[in-house]
Amino acid sequence: MKWTAENKAEAARLWSRGMTGTEIAVVVGSSPEELYGLARRNPVLFRPRGHGNARPRKTAAPPQFEGPAPKPFKVWFPSKAPGYGGVPHGRLTSCGCQYPLWGHHEEFDVSTSLFCGAPRIPDSRRPYCGFHALATGGKGTPGERRAVRDAIVVDAREAVAA
């Protein structure tokens, strides 16, 4: 069958109303196989729908539940490693954890900002202790990325001043 724009529009309208492929094929004047082929080639007009009993049905408004809304789940991870209070940038060694101990809303300040300073994981390329290695992944948090950039700038300024 050659599908015209009118036939396609009518089939798509009936499809969106929930009619079966066989029923639509009878109304439009084609076979169910041709209709399913048209639906497969035009997924924008013919949205996929469930099969069998899982098929979406037209229902009334969704049920409303009484009571307070559930609290959002938020993972809390302490910023400081247990037993380490933080080290200022000037006293941070190459074998100390370089995890920043300030939030993303705070600005880096050499005199007041602290890094973790706990011993790093031996034979690891990551600049963190075992505690903070669990908290980090990927590119790092915005605070970590900003801390690295700011530390590089501070080091460059100190090198120029010397």
Side-chain angles (χ1 to χ4, degrees):
M1 172 181 179
K2 178 107 171 122
W3 288 98
T4 63
E6 294 83 21
N7 285 351
K8 284 183 186 179
E10 179 68 15
R13 184 181 65 79
L14 296 173
W15 182 276
S16 67
R17 293 179 123 195
M19 290 179 68
T20 64
T22 307
E23 294 169 348
I24 297 171
V26 169
V27 172
V28 177
S30 70
S31 69
E33 291 80 18
E34 290 174 329
L35 178 74
Y36 290 131
L38 175 70
R40 196 171 36 254
R41 289 187 304 273
N42 298 293
V44 174
L45 295 175
F46 299 88
R47 295 282 180 200
R49 51 189 185 188
H51 300 284
N53 292 335
R55 197 163 146 199
R57 304 273 183 215
K58 295 177 185 169
T59 60
Q64 300 295 325
F65 297 102
E66 296 291 326
K71 293 180 182 177
F73 179 74
K74 184 176 179 183
V75 176
W76 181 78
F77 193 84
S79 61
K80 295 182 181 180
Y84 294 92
V87 176
H89 179 261
R91 294 186 51 211
L92 186 64
T93 62
S94 62
C95 56
C97 176
Q98 297 175 9
Y99 190 85
L101 299 181
W102 62 90
H104 68 278
H105 59 281
E106 301 174 36
E107 292 296 322
F108 174 73
D109 182 21
V110 175
S111 60
T112 59
S113 298
L114 301 175
F115 292 86
C116 174
R120 287 173 52 174
I121 301 172
D123 301 326
S124 173
R125 293 179 13 171
R126 300 187 74 185
Y128 303 124
C129 61
F131 183 77
H132 286 119
L134 295 174
T136 59
K139 298 177 189 175
T141 64
E144 289 175 317
R145 293 192 299 269
R146 193 177 313 110
V148 170
R149 285 193 307 264
D150 293 344
I152 291 170
V153 169
V154 169
D155 286 339
R157 285 184 195 151
E158 290 173 357
V160 169

